[in-house]
Amino acid sequence: MTGLLPGDPADTVGGAAGPRAFCVLAPNPSPMTLDGTNTWLLAEPGSELAVVVDPGPLDEGHLRAVIDAAESQGRRIALTLLTHGHHDHAAGAARFAELTGTRVRALDPALRLGEEGLHGGQVLEVGGLELRVVATPGHTADSLTFHLPADGAILTGDTVLGRGTTMVAHPDGVLGDYLDSLRRLRSLAAEHGVRTVLPGHGPVLADALGTVEYYLAHRAARLAQVETAVEAGYRTAEQVVARVYADVDRALWPAAELSVLAQLRYLEDHGLI
């Protein structure tokens, strides 16, 4: 072990992250969003067309900064994509589409601008750039990951973060789906040349396989802790959080309760409690 967090995170957030990826960091830092939302500007080298993934919050300055970043590279934005519908990723999408004249494509029809949506298994091509859509529900029902094969990278939204681990909050978050999604990403990393994680928050991670394996181990450990707490007589989500998440900032306990509800549902569905 190097002593670094799993995935060997980059030292900084924002800027170039490979030949085809550039991050514009939104000014919305918080305990839940880490440094802020990573808006990804993607383009094939030499192309005049770019794709934006997750325009971020409805912040006019940020949206225009993304456009400025594209223009400084001699590119125009041709398409906007969403990893999922949480406001810190998607609230600015409609305004961004207005500013750029682009469509917005997402899994959730309510988030789309234009007739075309997204679903797992699709291959998108814009100006020579190839993106493969991977269904990764669990953090939310509509969560997607975008595989950028030419860079050996995946854009994970909130499914995998650059620091810490992801919240799977009941009722929209479903832990069984999330674990299946992590296994799908592990397969991409182990068998299909994915090396780099370009997350929705936090720094770029250089060890995709190590990161996903850490996430799976972390989830297994948390589930075991929750199961043990229930066996010890802790019944409500509030009681379990006080036992299992005692080392977590109390300001985050309400969110942790939603996570525990998702874990309790998983344990109940699998006959473990």
Side-chain angles (χ1 to χ4, degrees):
M1 297 294 289
T2 64
L4 295 174
L5 291 172
D8 192 12
D11 294 330
T12 59
V13 178
R20 295 165 180 82
F22 186 89
C23 175
V24 183
L25 179 63
N28 61 332
S30 75
M32 297 299 290
T33 61
L34 305 181
D35 309 82
T37 300
N38 294 335
T39 294
W40 290 101
L41 180 67
L42 309 177
E44 190 67 15
S47 175
E48 296 180 355
L49 302 180
V51 175
V52 165
V53 176
D54 290 350
L58 183 53
D59 181 293
E60 192 81 6
H62 172 64
L63 301 180
R64 293 190 180 275
V66 176
I67 297 169
D68 290 345
E71 291 179 347
S72 71
Q73 298 174 9
R75 298 187 169 105
R76 70 175 179 86
I77 296 163
L79 180 63
T80 301
L81 305 175
L82 297 177
T83 60
H84 66 298
H86 280 167
H87 71 277
D88 55 312
H89 294 256
R95 174 58 177 157
F96 189 72
E98 181 181 6
L99 291 170
T100 58
T102 60
R103 298 162 294 150
V104 176
R105 297 182 65 175
L107 190 153
D108 185 349
L111 299 171
R112 301 172 190 167
L113 290 175
E115 296 181 358
E116 292 183 288
L118 293 172
H119 59 77
Q122 280 180 305
V123 179
L124 309 177
E125 193 277 331
V126 177
L129 180 81
E130 179 184 300
L131 281 175
R132 300 175 184 175
V133 184
V134 183
T136 48
H139 172 68
T140 61
D142 69 330
S143 286
L144 298 171
T145 289
F146 298 105
H147 178 199
L148 182 59
D151 280 8
I154 46 176
L155 292 92
T156 54
D158 283 354
T159 298
V160 176
L161 303 177
R163 189 182 304 113
T165 54
T166 297
M167 179 71 64
V168 179
H170 179 80
D172 194 30
V174 178
L175 186 54
D177 291 346
Y178 183 68
L179 294 173
D180 288 342
S181 293
L182 290 178
R183 296 182 188 108
R184 193 170 298 119
L185 295 180
R186 180 174 61 185
S187 176
L188 278 175
E191 302 170 16
H192 299 280
V194 169
R195 304 176 301 277
T196 306
V197 176
L198 308 181
H201 303 280
V204 171
L205 300 172
D207 179 7
L209 181 58
T211 300
V212 175
E213 288 183 337
Y214 170 80
Y215 265 57
L216 285 164
H218 170 79
R219 287 295 166 186
R222 279 297 194 206
L223 276 170
Q225 290 175 324
V226 171
E227 185 177 2
T228 298
V230 172
E231 290 172 349
Y234 297 84
R235 292 289 183 263
T236 69
E238 183 179 7
Q239 291 170 340
V240 173
V241 166
R243 170 70 179 266
V244 174
Y245 291 81
D247 59 337
V248 173
D249 186 343
R250 290 183 68 93
L252 298 177
W253 279 19
E257 287 182 24
L258 296 177
S259 179
V260 165
L261 286 172
Q263 292 174 80
L264 291 172
R265 175 63 60 86
Y266 177 88
L267 293 169
E268 290 169 356
D269 290 346
H270 288 77
L272 298 173
I273 58 174

